[in-house]
Amino acid sequence: MKKLITYTKEQVQQIRGLLNGVAVMGVQNCKQIAVIAQILDSGIPADVNVGKPEKKEGEG
């Protein structure tokens, strides 16, 4: 079973904005990357069934 991490739309928008603002060097970049890491760590794990779908009652 694979795991799926879910994020809110606001979290994804915040990550996108921070990544677009990351420049090549500087302390501010480290702070932005730390915020991105915190957002990614705050994702909610969910189980995802991959493979054969379960048969419902009455199906083949």
Side-chain angles (χ1 to χ4, degrees):
M1 183 178 307
K2 292 187 176 184
K3 295 284 185 177
L4 174 70
I5 307 295
T6 59
Y7 299 96
T8 65
K9 182 177 179 178
E10 291 78 19
Q11 288 173 320
V12 174
Q13 289 173 338
Q14 187 179 11
I15 291 170
R16 184 180 62 199
L18 290 168
L19 286 174
N20 285 336
V22 172
V24 177
M25 61 180 135
V27 174
Q28 184 62 31
N29 294 339
C30 294
K31 291 178 183 177
Q32 289 178 338
I33 292 171
V35 171
I36 293 168
Q38 288 174 341
I39 294 169
L40 292 174
D41 287 341
S42 71
I44 301 168
D47 291 333
V48 176
N49 291 327
V50 177
K52 296 180 183 178
E54 294 181 20
K55 290 185 179 181
K56 295 181 183 175
E57 187 175 330
E59 291 184 355

